[in-house]
């Protein structure tokens, strides 16, 4: 999982090499978004709610999965509001979806500084 991701299935989160981004797919399904590729050497794919044509317009939301610095947990980061979800385990699709939905409803538990 190093290098650049140029193609990814927007629904399943699967790359041509067979790598599947399960949490991203679960989040995309929960919030009505799509899994989008990104240079995964740095940040990995993200979930997009809206369209890339609207990237300079209000209403486009990007959700990222980021690690919690002091644990093995991860959080969902909502870029447009600079907010974080509650932490959850990397292998918990249901909690990932719930965390993303809480951010979409404005229930952030913390913000980056």
């Amino acid at each position: 999982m190093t290098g650049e991701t140029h193609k990814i299935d927007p629904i399943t989160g699967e790359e041509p090499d067979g790598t599947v981004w399960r949490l991203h797919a679960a989040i995309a399904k929960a919030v009505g978004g799509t899994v989008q590729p990104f240079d995964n050497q740095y940040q990995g794919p993200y979930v997009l709610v809206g369209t890339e044509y609207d990237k300079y317009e209000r209403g486009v939301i990007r959700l990222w999965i980021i690690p919690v610095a002091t644990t093995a947990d991860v959080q969902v980061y909502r870029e447009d509001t600079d907010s974080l979800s509650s932490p959850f385990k990397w292998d918990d699709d249901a909690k990932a979806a719930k965390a993303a939905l809480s951010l979409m409803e404005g229930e952030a538990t913390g913000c980056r500084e």
Side-chain angles (χ1 to χ4, degrees):
M1 294 191 305
T2 60
E4 292 186 17
T5 303
H6 296 287
K7 294 181 183 178
I8 195 166
D9 184 291
I11 306 301
T12 66
E14 185 172 358
E15 294 180 41
D17 70 0
T19 301
V20 178
W21 298 88
R22 278 189 16 244
L23 286 183
H24 295 76
I27 290 169
K29 182 177 181 182
V31 300
T34 57
V35 182
Q36 298 294 311
F38 195 79
D39 183 344
N40 64 10
Q41 182 176 350
Y42 301 102
Q43 289 183 299
Y46 63 96
V47 174
L48 177 69
V49 182
T51 64
E52 283 298 335
Y53 292 111
D54 297 330
K55 67 182 169 184
Y56 300 110
E57 301 293 325
R58 295 179 63 192
V60 171
I61 298 169
R62 287 180 193 80
L63 302 174
W64 302 87
I65 296 175
I66 61 170
V68 176
T70 57
T71 69
D73 294 342
V74 293
Q75 294 174 284
V76 178
Y77 170 65
R78 181 173 167 173
E79 186 176 276
D80 64 315
T81 60
D82 197 33
S83 55
L84 293 166
S85 72
S86 298
F88 54 91
K89 300 293 179 200
W90 180 253
D91 61 352
D92 196 333
D93 296 358
K95 284 193 178 175
K98 184 177 178 180
L101 285 170
S102 73
L103 286 180
M104 297 298 288
E105 295 167 359
E107 299 172 15
T109 59
C111 294
R112 288 185 158 190
E113 299 199 16

